[in-house]
Amino acid sequence: MSSKLGMAHASARRESPLMLVLRFSHVFFGALWVGMMAYQTFFLMPALAEVGPDAGKLMAALMRRRIPVILPVVALITLVSGFWLFQRLSGGAAAGLMRTPIGMAFGSGGAAALLAFLLGIVVMRPAMMRSTQLAQSLASASPEERATRSAEIQRLRARGAVTGWVVMILLLFALGAMAVARYL
């Protein structure tokens, strides 16, 4: 088994331009993903909660800049390049690699990142998109509808904020695992 891992490492050295592109993509887009999520979680979401109804204007401006499209693409590039790197490192023996400390670190970090992506796409993104739509419709709503929609907006933003914290914790775990894996 270790001979397969050794061959995979030797193979990676022979194809260094591909490995350089994969590693650059993984690290660059991973840094963007973690950085964008950290900004959202630690600064943007608390500021939006503080501003109240006017937060809808900022969310609409971010949507016009296609943040809800860009962030998932950045995350996908990170995930695909990471899984590809893991496959190359394992030389087709992923189970064998997972029995090593480096494999466990890369594997658990990758699993955390995948879970963070899924939570972001399935829970966080729809909540934020719906809250933005509701906020944009507040001006034309009757006073009764406005109160109902405002309560729904707050509920959706709270769900998005809590999910954002979970996603951020998973991404920080993934970042830490990837940072130390080679040294285990």
Side-chain angles (χ1 to χ4, degrees), residues 53 134 138 145-156:
L134 286 171
L138 280 179
E145 290 174 325
R146 194 171 298 145
T148 303
R149 289 181 189 174
S150 291
E152 179 70 4
I153 289 167
Q154 293 308 313
R155 188 184 67 74
L156 290 167

Side-chain angles (χ1 to χ4, degrees), residues 70-133:
I70 292 169
L71 190 54
V73 169
V74 165
L76 274 173
I77 292 170
T78 304
L79 289 168
V80 169
S81 61
F83 289 128
W84 195 352
L85 282 167
F86 187 84
Q87 178 60 30
R88 304 261 315 151
L89 180 65
S90 76
L97 180 58
M98 286 301 294
R99 286 193 288 273
T100 67
I102 190 173
M104 286 187 283
F106 281 140
S108 62
L114 180 60
L115 182 57
F117 175 75
L118 292 173
L119 283 171
I121 290 295
V122 173
V123 179
M124 186 177 174
R125 187 175 187 272
M128 300 317 294
M129 300 287 278
R130 179 72 180 135
S131 72
T132 300
Q133 289 172 344

Side-chain angles (χ1 to χ4, degrees), residues 2-78:
S2 63
S3 64
K4 277 189 176 181
L5 293 176
M7 290 186 330
H9 187 64
S11 168
R13 276 189 243 128
R14 279 194 304 259
E15 299 174 1
S16 62
L18 175 62
M19 291 302 287
L20 286 174
V21 169
L22 287 173
R23 283 191 181 143
F24 174 82
S25 297
H26 187 64
V27 171
F28 180 81
F29 288 102
L32 283 176
W33 185 16
V34 173
M36 290 173 80
M37 280 304 303
Y39 173 75
Q40 274 185 239
T41 303
F42 300 132
F43 300 103
L44 183 62
M45 296 307 289
L48 291 173
E50 186 178 313
V51 171
D54 288 335
K57 295 174 186 174
L58 177 60
M59 291 301 292
L62 290 172
M63 288 182 80
R64 285 191 298 275
R65 284 161 184 79
R66 306 189 49 79
I67 295 297
V69 173
I70 292 169
L71 190 54
V73 169
V74 165
L76 274 173
I77 292 170
T78 304

